[in-house]
Amino acid sequence: VSVSRAIKPFAEPGRPPDWFSQKHCASQYSELLETTETPKRKRGEKGEVVETVEDVIVRKLTAERVEELKKIIKETQEKYRQLKKDAELIQAGHMDNRLEELCNEIMMWVIVSS
């Protein structure tokens, strides 16, 4: 219960309502455990830290999320550059013939985003 409640604020848009149910979280975790290769134990000195399956899962998911965030940042930067370019063209008067079309695009974006 605590895990499903704790991660609910980080939900991505479009997730079904039962995505954070106890049952679904447990099945996702079980699937992660089954698909993650168990690290081999190393022989060594006492007190040596041995990597656990949980450590492997955390490292894997963290790397995946970092890549997702890099992609989102890149897309956002590209969108910003395009919008900035469009704003400069509008201010210079080069897009007067497309103003109504651009206004409709903006309105559609606002409706979809909300």
Side-chain angles (χ1 to χ4, degrees):
V1 179
S2 62
V3 172
S4 60
R5 282 188 194 144
I7 62 175
K8 197 168 191 170
F10 303 105
E12 298 160 350
R15 292 283 185 202
D18 66 338
W19 183 258
F20 295 102
S21 69
Q22 293 177 40
K23 184 178 178 181
H24 191 265
C25 285
S27 68
Q28 290 289 331
Y29 184 69
S30 177
E31 184 180 326
L32 277 172
L33 288 175
E34 290 172 7
T35 59
T36 303
E37 196 172 306
T38 307
K40 295 184 179 180
R41 295 197 173 246
K42 300 175 185 175
R43 291 187 159 198
E45 298 176 22
K46 284 189 175 183
E48 182 179 325
V49 177
V50 178
E51 188 174 52
T52 64
V53 175
E54 290 83 4
D55 294 334
V56 173
I57 291 171
V58 167
R59 190 176 62 248
K60 176 185 168 192
L61 294 177
T62 300
E64 287 176 8
R65 186 63 178 151
V66 166
E67 289 305 313
E68 288 173 9
L69 291 173
K70 284 180 182 179
K71 182 180 174 187
I72 291 169
I73 289 169
K74 185 177 179 182
E75 291 170 356
T76 303
Q77 288 173 334
E78 289 172 8
K79 182 72 174 171
Y80 170 79
R81 284 188 201 100
Q82 184 60 45
L83 289 172
K84 187 175 179 182
K85 181 181 173 185
D86 289 348
E88 289 169 356
L89 290 172
I90 290 169
Q91 288 175 345
H94 297 295
M95 296 187 76
D96 288 347
N97 57 341
R98 289 194 55 222
L99 285 179
E100 188 173 333
E101 179 186 338
L102 290 170
C103 186
N104 289 335
E105 284 181 28
I106 291 169
M107 292 303 289
M108 289 302 293
W109 182 79
V110 168
I111 291 169
V112 170
S113 297
S114 57

